[in-house]
Amino acid sequence: MRDPRIPSRKDSPGAPRPASIGAAAGIVGAWQAMEAIKLLAFAAPSLGGKLLTIDTLSNEVSCLTVVRDRTCPACGEHPRITEPLSDAEYDPERSCAV
C-alpha cells in the first residue's frame, strides 16, 4: 500500500526526469561534435583557454576565459603530478580551481 503522505509521481516536484537529463547530454554531445568538426576542418578557432558553460534550466550559455597557472603541479610548465591522486593525497587548497 502506498504512503498517502507521498505525492504521486506525476505531482511530485524536484529532480528532473531522466528524459530531461538525456536531452542535456544530447545538447552537450552535439555541441562537442560540432567543435570537433570545426577544428578538423580548420573552419574556426578552437575554444582553447576558454570554458563553455551551458545552463539548460535557464537556457543561458557563457564562455569564460581560463588562465593557465604555469606553477600548477598538474598542468603547469613542470608538472609533478602525472597520475591521478588518491582521495588522501588530494588537497583542494592547492587546486587550480581555487
Side-chain angles (χ1 to χ4, degrees):
M1 176 171 222
R2 190 172 76 71
D3 186 338
R5 295 172 295 173
I6 300 173
S8 67
R9 261 191 160 161
K10 66 182 177 89
D11 296 330
S12 62
R17 297 173 189 239
S20 63
I21 293 170
I27 291 167
V28 172
W31 203 310
Q32 288 176 327
M34 193 65 232
E35 288 301 313
I37 291 168
K38 288 188 320 188
L39 282 172
L40 293 171
F42 301 102
S46 78
L47 285 176
K50 301 207 184 285
L51 174 67
L52 182 73
T53 63
I54 304 169
D55 184 339
T56 57
L57 189 60
S58 66
N59 293 324
E60 293 181 10
V61 177
S62 61
C63 196
L64 309 169
T65 300
V66 180
V67 179
R68 181 176 174 220
D69 178 0
R70 298 196 184 284
T71 63
C72 174
C75 63
E77 301 261 330
H78 305 287
R80 298 181 308 278
I81 301 171
T82 56
E83 297 292 322
L85 296 175
S86 69
D87 289 341
E89 296 172 307
Y90 180 72
D91 180 5
E93 294 299 318
R94 295 184 58 217
S95 169
C96 290
V98 176

